[in-house]
Amino acid sequence: MVSISCQKSAKSFPGALGQAPVGCKTYILDTNVLLLDVRSIFNFEENNVALPAAVLDELDRIKGEQDSERGRNAREIHRLLLQLFPDERAIEEGVKLPGGGSLMIAIPGKLGGFLTERVRHVLGDLEKKDNQILLCALYIKHTYPPPTVLVTNDANVALKARAIGIAAEDYQTDNVDPKDVTQDHPCDIVNVRATELQSFNASGELQLAEKEFSLNQYVLLRTPEGHTMPARAVGVHQLAHLRHPDTIHPGTVGIRPRNLEQRFLCDALFDPAIKILTVRGHAGTGKTLLSIAAALSQAQGPEARYDRVLITRPVITVGKDIGYLPGSMEEKLRPYLQCYFDALEILYNSKKPVAPQFLDRKKSQRKERMGDASTDKTGNGGKPYERLIKSGVLQIEALQYIRGRSIPNSFILVDECQNLSRGEIRVLLTRAAENTRIVLIGDESQIDSPYLDAVSNGLVHVAVKMKGLPFAAHVNLTKGERSEVAEASARLL
């Protein structure tokens, strides 16, 4: 890092930075970039990298967040910078990076004529850290010759930068390709001959030497006559039948998949070989209800595969952290996990109308034989699924406190994963121990984090990066089944 001098005639960065090579750029990193990727400073090849002093102030404020990924990253960045800058001279002269570039701490000098009336109007309060970062970028642009680019995942900061004449880009290192995250269709259609479909129907397997598939890829076989049959790839050229129960009975009510996409989902949910499953779909497609039903049905009874079902989700709050909220962990998280409790009401509460699109009407009489569902088996008041929570079969966990744990023999459901960064989802997945499965659920059209988008969030990152692994699968849900109103609203509004 280098402390930028006030000499406007300088043609290159001073000290260790030397003369900038032809085509070199100066990348100024916003705080959110460092928090997303602690080692981002090493990813700009032979270019100059500048960290505004205001970024250090923001990191200092964030490092006190004890139970958040942001706090841990801020502390790690500080330790890394201490190693890179062991003394005052390194701070003053800057340092070379292993990739050939250079790193500096940017401290703007006199802004002089750069601080025009337009800049003042755009930035407003110059005491705000975001605006101080923009002022630093403006100073660098007008003081040193290489093109200056502000790297930020904050859309507001990027807009302000462009308004005052500074180029701004997202931090896109290791982002997935946008074409890989499309949700327009649930599967690929594979054209086959009628004889091949008949053979597949009879044997349960089909070899297509002229086609190549990713492991656990879902496809729909179609003949020229219009006959179709779903399949899953179990080899590069081999397809197999879907295998899932016709009806799922985790509680007093049975549910069943109602469309092709939901059949794909049930097939993946009931295959123990699939340890990581990503599920993307808009509201009302059934991703939560089917997932919790499948998980609970595999964690109960004498043939249970798992000791417990653990449900969690990221908590995106404004104001106080979850630790300051009153009540037990379950009480704190209940508002954030209400979608699961709504699903449990459908599965276990016979007095509440059951969503007709999921109800197995032939076997719904089971709920009547169970008695009044407003009481548990002992006759005590309370929700019937509360016994699952009390017995430990169903557990609620705060994502903030999952770091450092090892979780065996569990079926983990993580909702709203579109709000997780790559680093956060990596921490989550590395918690899985022996015989543990993780289902990641989300809808990138409902991203609440200001620093994530459709190609940078953790959900699509896992779906794309783990594509083709034998223990990973992905399902797109595009058809809503909640109601006509919900489906029309999701698509048109």
Side-chain angles (χ1 to χ4, degrees):
M1 295 184 188
V2 78
S3 176
I4 299 178
S5 70
C6 299
Q7 299 175 357
K8 298 180 183 179
S9 61
K11 297 301 180 183
S12 62
F13 293 130
L17 302 182
Q19 183 66 40
V22 176
C24 173
K25 295 182 179 180
T26 299
Y27 288 100
I28 304 168
L29 307 191
D30 197 358
T31 312
N32 52 70
V33 174
L34 295 172
L35 294 176
L36 178 66
D37 183 355
V38 173
R39 301 187 65 82
S40 57
I41 57 178
F42 301 110
N43 292 334
F44 292 89
E45 299 178 341
E46 296 183 355
N47 296 288
N48 295 319
V49 177
L51 300 183
V55 167
L56 300 183
D57 290 337
E58 287 197 309
L59 292 174
D60 186 61
R61 175 181 58 81
I62 295 170
K63 72 180 183 183
E65 299 179 7
Q66 294 298 320
D67 295 312
S68 75
E69 191 71 14
R70 293 190 343 143
R72 282 184 285 269
N73 286 349
R75 294 189 291 273
E76 186 175 345
I77 294 165
H78 277 141
R79 290 191 288 267
L80 176 61
L81 294 179
L82 278 176
Q83 294 175 5
L84 291 172
F85 300 93
D87 51 39
E88 180 182 356
R89 181 177 178 180
I91 293 288
E92 292 178 350
E93 296 184 354
V95 295
K96 289 289 187 179
L97 293 174
S102 56
L103 182 64
M104 55 180 262
I105 291 178
I107 305 172
K110 295 180 180 179
L111 292 171
F114 307 145
L115 195 57
T116 63
E117 197 65 25
R118 174 181 174 82
V119 171
R120 290 182 182 274
H121 281 302
V122 172
L123 299 185
D125 184 3
L126 300 182
E127 295 300 316
K128 291 182 62 175
K129 296 302 180 185
D130 284 351
N131 292 336
Q132 291 178 17
I133 292 171
L134 289 167
L135 284 176
C136 185
L138 187 67
Y139 179 78
I140 291 176
K141 176 185 177 181
H142 287 281
T143 305
Y144 300 100
T148 300
V149 179
L150 176 64
V151 184
T152 179
N153 291 330
D154 188 323
N156 185 59
V157 171
L159 287 171
K160 282 187 171 183
R162 291 167 184 170
I164 61 175
I166 300 172
E169 298 178 358
D170 290 338
Y171 181 69
Q172 297 181 344
T173 297
D174 209 26
N175 275 6
V176 299
D177 191 323
K179 67 181 181 182
D180 291 331
V181 300
T182 179
Q183 280 187 265
D184 295 337
H185 54 84
C187 67
D188 292 327
I189 296 177
V190 178
N191 294 317
V192 295
R193 296 186 298 272
T195 54
E196 290 176 322
L197 191 66
Q198 292 171 357
S199 174
F200 178 63
N201 184 40
S203 66
E205 294 185 352
L206 180 63
Q207 289 279 349
L208 294 176
E210 70 279 9
K211 302 285 186 179
E212 289 191 3
F213 305 100
S214 299
L215 287 179
N216 298 321
Q217 176 185 352
Y218 288 99
V219 301
L220 182 66
L221 302 177
R222 183 176 63 185
T223 67
E225 295 79 17
H227 300 298
T228 61
M229 187 172 295
R232 188 178 82 184
V234 294
V236 178
H237 302 288
Q238 186 175 7
L239 301 175
H241 277 175
L242 303 187
R243 301 182 184 278
H244 61 80
D246 293 332
T247 306
I248 308 172
H249 280 289
T252 61
V253 174
I255 64 170
R256 55 190 174 88
R258 297 290 294 177
N259 58 50
L260 176 65
E261 305 158 15
Q262 291 183 357
R263 290 186 62 190
F264 290 153
L265 177 57
C266 287
D267 177 78
L269 287 169
F270 280 92
D271 187 345
I274 296 178
K275 303 298 184 182
I276 299 175
L277 171 62
T278 52
V279 185
R280 295 160 54 214
H282 62 73
T285 52
K287 53 189 184 294
T288 299
L289 180 58
L290 288 171
S291 296
I292 188 67
L296 286 173
S297 67
Q298 296 176 72
Q300 300 180 81
E303 298 182 359
R305 295 173 176 169
Y306 308 98
D307 295 339
R308 58 184 171 177
V309 174
L310 191 153
I311 58 176
T312 186
R313 59 158 284 177
V315 178
I316 307 296
T317 59
V318 177
K320 293 183 179 180
D321 183 78
I322 186 173
Y324 293 94
L325 298 177
S328 64
M329 181 67 67
E330 178 188 339
E331 292 170 333
K332 292 178 181 182
L333 285 173
R334 191 178 185 103
Y336 300 100
L337 293 169
Q338 189 58 46
C339 59
Y340 283 103
F341 289 101
D342 291 341
L344 291 169
E345 287 283 357
I346 292 175
L347 297 175
Y348 287 89
N349 192 345
S350 66
K351 297 184 71 175
K352 189 172 182 178
V354 178
Q357 70 272 19
F358 293 109
L359 178 61
D360 179 11
R361 299 185 182 279
K362 294 182 179 180
K363 298 184 179 180
S364 62
Q365 292 81 2
R366 291 184 62 214
K367 66 179 183 178
E368 298 176 1
R369 297 196 298 269
M370 298 293 291
D372 187 351
S374 63
T375 60
D376 60 24
K377 289 186 176 181
T378 64
N380 298 322
K383 304 293 184 181
Y385 58 78
E386 288 180 358
R387 62 183 175 82
L388 298 175
I389 299 176
K390 292 178 181 178
S391 65
V393 172
L394 180 62
Q395 297 183 14
I396 299 170
E397 184 62 73
L399 202 58
Q400 290 94 321
Y401 308 128
I402 208 168
R403 189 184 185 101
R405 295 183 57 187
S406 179
I407 306 175
N409 303 314
S410 301
F411 200 123
I412 303 176
L413 303 176
V414 190
D415 209 356
E416 305 293 343
C417 287
Q418 74 277 359
N419 288 317
L420 290 173
S421 69
R422 297 191 295 266
E424 290 169 330
I425 215 159
R426 181 172 58 249
V427 169
L428 172 65
L429 293 179
T430 54
R431 302 305 97 209
E434 191 68 25
N435 193 38
T436 285
R437 304 178 64 191
I438 300 182
V439 178
L440 306 174
I441 303 169
D443 176 9
E444 56 263 37
S445 68
Q446 300 185 40
I447 294 176
D448 298 316
S449 172
Y451 307 125
L452 299 175
D453 58 28
V455 297
S456 65
N457 68 84
L459 177 65
V460 300
H461 190 72
V462 173
V464 173
K465 295 297 182 181
M466 293 197 173
K467 181 179 179 180
L469 295 180
F471 55 82
H474 174 71
V475 176
N476 275 344
L477 299 178
T478 62
K479 184 179 180 181
E481 295 285 357
R482 180 173 293 159
S483 68
E484 292 181 352
V485 172
E487 173 66 1
S489 299
R491 292 190 178 278
L492 302 177
L493 303 181

